[in-house]
Amino acid sequence: MATVTSLIGLINKIQRACTLLGDHGGQGMSLWEILPSVAVVGGQSSGKSSVLESVVGRDFLPRGSGIVTRRPLVLQLHKTESGTEYAEFLHAPKKRFTDFVAVRKEIADETDRITGKTKQISNIPIHLSIYSPNVVNLTLIDLPGLTKVAVEGQSETIVEDIENMVRTYVEKPNCIILAISPANQDIATSDAIKLARDVDPSGERTFGVLTKLDLMDKGTNAVDVLEGRAYRLQHPWVGIVNRSQADINKNVDMILARRKEREYFETSPDYGHLASRMGSEYLAKLLSEHLELVIRQRIPSIIALINKTIDELNAELDRIGRPIATDGGAQLYMILELCRAFDRVFKEHLDGGRPGGDRIFGVFDNQLPAALKKLPFDRYLSLKNVQKVVTEADGYQPHLIAPEQGYRRLIDGAISYFKGPAEASVDAVHYVLKELVRKSIAETQELKRFPSLQTDIATAANESLEKFRDESRKTVLRLVEMESSYLTADFFRKLNAEPEKNLNPSDKKKNAEPDKNPNQSHTGDRLNESYLRRIGSNVNAYIAMVCDTLRNTIPKAVVYCQVKEAKRSLLTNFYAQVGSREKERLSAMLDEDPQLMDRRIQIAKRLELYISARDDIDAVCWK
Ligand SMILES: Nc1nc2c(ncn2[C@@H]2O[C@H](COP(=O)(O)OP(=O)(O)OP(=O)(O)O)[C@@H](O)[C@H]2O)c(=O)[nH]1
């Protein structure tokens, strides 16, 4: 069976966690709304601060005329064994206050920090813990006093504003209301009772506290109220005698004030029969017992809420990725796994499943043929140029049988035109591959959280692609040069055998008369026009044959050198480098987006708080 101390201490812990997590009881179901709290409610000067202070046993609340409490004060009382008494604020966790005058000042300053020096109010609570051997474990919330009219310097809506704010606290079904009414006023006019009746019609969570019993007119008493006849509540009324203003001025201390209060009831002719159920100490005990009861009823729903929140936090952690391992081996493994994930996506782009690979086919099927078609062989094999090359090739000598050198030079010159389209194919495929690397990195989900590694992989992959491009370029140029280095003699032999076959109709006509065989000697007429035309046309036919060959072999070379290599060894060098890297460098590679890291830290912190809260509750439940 849990003790009062452990149960309330536990709730105090959870409540502190809520405030730390920025949970001020806003919208939705929050822990704050499930946990019970005690709110002190009453009209201004009804004796609220006095009741709170006498329950605590210390003077520490800001006092003054007008509106002093402008933010809720969540006051957690912790009973300690040792004699030192101190206070701590959640907003200044490392600072221990032993001087309660300083506590009072800090409450005032912290109020101003949020609301400014104006008379505005805020619902963000100030969290104060008091550790003392003279208190019971209890959480109290001090709220601004209810007023009836706005005084000078206050906004017109202040009456309403305060009531609304107090309402947001006392409306919650788990809020235990300490409704303070002064005995020297008609109970029927009590602001506290009016509000309490409104939000808790059955009165099951309202504790009626009657202050200023000592200030009642001679000959009158409050027995009717205290015995529940004047206004019936589910819980018994508790009468209180706080220090008077004169006592405060004389610095009458709390301990003495309590003793005097006890004496007052014990010796009172009106209340003597109720003495054991009157006074600040009894009120504190009553509250503590009631809290225990309420908390015990709430434990299942508290655990359910905590579990739900833990599940949600875990799901979010899964979504953004778990924290990365700290040892080098595990980091290396993770990097390689991430690289493999990237590689898978990249291959899907090439082999199908994802778009992009088809663009390589486009290079071979459209770009290359179009570029080949555009080569300026018309101009190169114009009559004028053929004449020029052929004439220059043999110098001053007349050619005897055929212009062998002229042919060779013309063919060489023509073949060198193929270098352009060949290199352009290499480059085009290179850019497609580069773009696929970029896309694959962006599409690899696992890599999303690691911007540094993304850059590293991109750099390594692009370096490899450059290397493949160089290799590919050399290979295609070699293919072109090979065409120059040894001509297909058969082609010309066939020409000799069928002299007319390769001519187009207009050439045939032109050539019909004077020369029937191009290889016939024309020593007398070196520059015969139809003869030159015939040479140009023969070279053109040869080049067309070379062009067909290259149209087929360039794609083979490009795929072999670039595409196949990219699939096979895009990150091979990178793997080798990573394998030999120091642990620090590996950690740097796994650097994450700072925002994401912050978010994870936040979630982890919350998770830790909720898990420890659950452990605490479990421990108390099963004791
Ligand atoms: N004689 C006597 N005076 C009391 C009693 N309770 C409160 N007072 C006096 O009434 C005045 C107001 O008391 P507070 O405790 O400040 O009342 P409050 O509700 O906190 O008022 P605000 O802080 O102004 O909202 C102080 O001068 C107290 O000394 C009591 O039981 N008997």
Side-chain angles (χ1 to χ4, degrees):
M1 174 72 81
T3 64
V4 178
T5 310
S6 59
L7 264 175
I8 299 174
L10 157 70
I11 295 308
N12 283 348
K13 250 190 210 167
I14 299 172
Q15 237 167 19
R16 280 165 59 90
C18 284
T19 303
L20 263 179
L21 297 170
D23 173 3
H24 310 304
Q27 289 88 28
M29 193 68 167
S30 68
L31 254 184
W32 185 271
E33 274 160 78
I34 278 185
L35 291 177
S37 55
V38 179
V40 185
V41 180
Q44 263 182 27
S45 288
S46 57
K48 248 173 328 98
S49 309
S50 301
V51 169
L52 209 57
E53 283 185 334
S54 70
V55 170
V56 180
R58 289 307 302 243
D59 301 271
F60 65 96
L61 293 173
R63 299 298 204 82
S65 55
I67 178 162
V68 181
T69 313
R70 285 180 290 119
R71 282 175 66 182
L73 177 79
V74 175
L75 180 66
Q76 293 189 337
L77 308 180
H78 307 258
K79 186 171 177 62
T80 54
E81 298 306 323
S82 69
T84 38
E85 193 168 43
Y86 64 92
E88 256 177 23
F89 285 93
L90 195 64
H91 63 262
K94 294 259 145 56
K95 205 166 158 192
R96 275 191 179 191
F97 290 78
T98 46
D99 175 6
F100 279 71
V101 177
V103 171
R104 183 179 304 167
K105 185 172 177 307
E106 184 63 31
I107 293 173
D109 291 350
E110 179 59 19
T111 301
D112 291 347
R113 202 174 63 76
I114 296 280
T115 61
K117 288 243 182 248
T118 61
K119 304 206 167 199
Q120 282 169 341
I121 55 176
S122 158
N123 67 347
I124 301 175
I126 297 174
H127 226 284
L128 172 64
S129 289
I130 291 179
Y131 299 83
S132 165
N134 306 319
V135 297
V136 290
N137 283 322
L138 199 59
T139 299
L140 300 163
I141 301 168
D142 190 18
L143 293 162
L146 299 160
T147 55
K148 289 203 162 60
V149 283
V151 295
E152 211 181 311
Q154 291 183 329
S155 81
E156 300 220 323
T157 57
I158 194 85
V159 175
E160 218 183 320
D161 291 346
I162 294 176
E163 190 182 320
N164 287 340
M165 187 177 114
V166 173
R167 260 176 202 280
T168 61
Y169 279 87
V170 297
E171 256 167 10
K172 289 174 187 144
N174 63 328
C175 180
I176 294 159
I177 306 167
L178 218 50
I180 315 286
S181 312
N184 57 354
Q185 265 174 31
D186 188 350
I187 198 71
T189 66
S190 164
D191 294 321
I193 290 297
K194 202 166 136 263
L195 189 68
R197 194 169 46 202
D198 230 23
V199 297
D200 177 32
S202 68
E204 63 187 15
R205 53 190 182 90
T206 301
F207 284 80
V209 179
L210 207 58
T211 57
K212 304 192 183 180
L213 285 172
D214 57 320
L215 292 186
M216 291 185 77
D217 287 341
K218 274 223 158 65
T220 61
N221 67 47
V223 173
D224 262 7
V225 177
L226 292 176
E227 289 185 343
R229 284 189 296 278
Y231 186 82
R232 193 164 178 76
L233 287 171
Q234 289 224 359
H235 301 286
W237 281 83
V238 181
I240 296 276
V241 176
N242 289 313
R243 285 170 300 172
S244 65
Q245 191 58 48
D247 289 339
I248 293 170
N249 296 345
K250 276 189 281 176
N251 279 331
V252 170
D253 77 39
M254 278 291 167
I255 308 290
L256 180 62
R258 279 187 178 173
R259 208 176 64 224
K260 279 172 75 176
E261 187 190 30
R262 227 174 15 245
E263 280 167 13
Y264 174 87
F265 286 111
E266 278 163 5
T267 58
S268 161
D270 292 325
Y271 312 116
H273 65 291
L274 300 169
S276 63
R277 285 178 278 138
M278 296 288 129
S280 317
E281 280 172 286
Y282 179 73
L283 177 64
K285 191 167 152 273
L286 196 67
L287 280 175
S288 195
E289 280 169 9
H290 182 71
L291 272 174
E292 183 195 2
L293 194 77
V294 172
I295 292 167
R296 199 170 286 145
Q297 287 166 353
R298 298 265 153 86
I299 281 180
S301 58
I302 294 172
I303 290 186
L305 180 73
I306 291 178
N307 280 338
K308 184 169 157 267
T309 313
I310 290 174
D311 287 349
E312 282 165 7
L313 292 172
N314 271 324
E316 190 172 353
L317 263 190
D318 281 340
R319 213 181 59 243
I320 66 172
R322 297 277 167 176
I324 38 187
T326 46
D327 75 290
Q331 286 180 342
L332 180 62
Y333 178 80
M334 182 161 190
I335 291 172
L336 297 181
E337 281 289 292
L338 291 165
C339 290
R340 270 191 282 275
F342 155 78
D343 213 42
R344 265 196 304 278
V345 176
F346 181 71
K347 281 186 181 133
E348 281 172 26
H349 273 296
L350 285 178
D351 294 336
R354 290 176 196 256
D358 50 312
R359 282 172 51 205
I360 294 174
F361 174 71
V363 170
F364 302 144
D365 201 46
N366 302 316
Q367 247 169 281
L368 176 63
L372 291 173
K373 217 174 191 170
K374 272 198 218 131
L375 290 177
F377 290 126
D378 273 3
R379 213 169 347 112
Y380 181 72
L381 295 175
S382 68
L383 208 60
K384 221 168 128 201
N385 199 44
V386 172
Q387 182 180 33
K388 183 170 170 281
V389 176
V390 170
T391 313
E392 283 171 6
D394 283 341
Y396 71 92
Q397 293 282 3
H399 43 256
L400 301 175
I401 299 171
E404 174 82 16
Q405 286 309 315
Y407 266 105
R408 286 195 183 277
R409 284 205 185 183
L410 277 172
I411 290 171
D412 265 1
I415 286 179
S416 68
Y417 279 104
F418 290 119
K419 288 180 182 171
E423 285 187 303
S425 301
V426 170
D427 286 340
V429 169
H430 177 77
Y431 290 118
V432 172
L433 291 171
K434 227 173 135 173
E435 175 61 13
L436 292 184
V437 164
R438 193 191 63 74
K439 269 178 136 168
S440 304
I441 287 174
E443 288 168 16
T444 305
Q445 285 305 320
E446 297 90 326
L447 270 179
K448 282 236 175 328
R449 42 191 282 224
F450 302 112
S452 300
L453 187 59
Q454 283 181 26
T455 314
D456 288 347
I457 290 180
T459 310
N462 287 336
E463 267 172 23
S464 299
L465 290 181
E466 292 293 344
K467 246 179 48 206
F468 304 152
R469 166 158 75 172
D470 288 348
E471 207 46 50
S472 183
R473 188 181 283 141
K474 273 188 218 151
T475 308
V476 295
L477 291 180
R478 205 165 275 163
L479 282 179
V480 174
E481 280 156 16
M482 277 156 59
E483 289 297 334
S484 275
S485 63
Y486 193 75
L487 304 186
T488 310
D490 255 9
F491 179 85
F492 293 96
R493 287 193 192 120
K494 275 186 197 141
L495 273 185
N496 287 342
E498 304 170 79
E500 297 293 313
K501 203 178 169 186
N502 287 302
L503 291 179
N504 60 40
S506 62
D507 284 343
K508 272 186 201 164
K509 212 168 154 200
K510 278 183 214 145
N511 290 335
E513 266 313 296
D515 58 315
K516 290 197 169 57
N517 188 332
N519 291 337
Q520 270 174 2
S521 168
H522 288 269
T523 48
D525 184 11
R526 261 176 72 177
L527 302 176
N528 178 296
E529 190 185 314
S530 61
Y531 166 63
L532 289 172
R533 220 181 277 284
R534 168 61 65 104
I535 294 173
S537 151
N538 286 343
V539 170
N540 199 25
Y542 186 79
I543 290 304
M545 182 190 73
V546 171
C547 187
D548 279 347
T549 309
L550 289 177
R551 187 185 299 127
N552 292 322
T553 51
I554 288 172
K556 291 180 206 288
V558 169
V559 168
Y560 182 82
C561 297
Q562 289 174 272
V563 183
K564 242 184 97 189
E565 271 313 289
K567 273 169 67 178
R568 195 181 67 85
S569 63
L570 191 62
L571 293 180
T572 305
N573 277 345
F574 185 60
Y575 292 147
Q577 286 168 19
V578 173
S580 61
R581 266 183 199 169
E582 303 281 311
K583 191 191 156 326
E584 287 70 38
R585 293 240 1 233
L586 295 178
S587 303
M589 291 170 79
L590 290 173
D591 265 356
E592 292 180 272
D593 178 356
Q595 257 185 336
L596 201 84
M597 281 159 84
D598 280 355
R599 180 81 196 120
R600 184 183 302 110
I601 290 169
Q602 253 180 30
I603 297 175
K605 214 169 89 184
R606 287 184 70 122
L607 206 55
E608 202 181 308
L609 277 164
Y610 278 93
I611 289 174
S612 78
R614 185 175 61 184
D615 289 348
D616 284 348
I617 293 176
D618 279 351
V620 174
C621 286
W622 295 104
K623 225 184 234 172

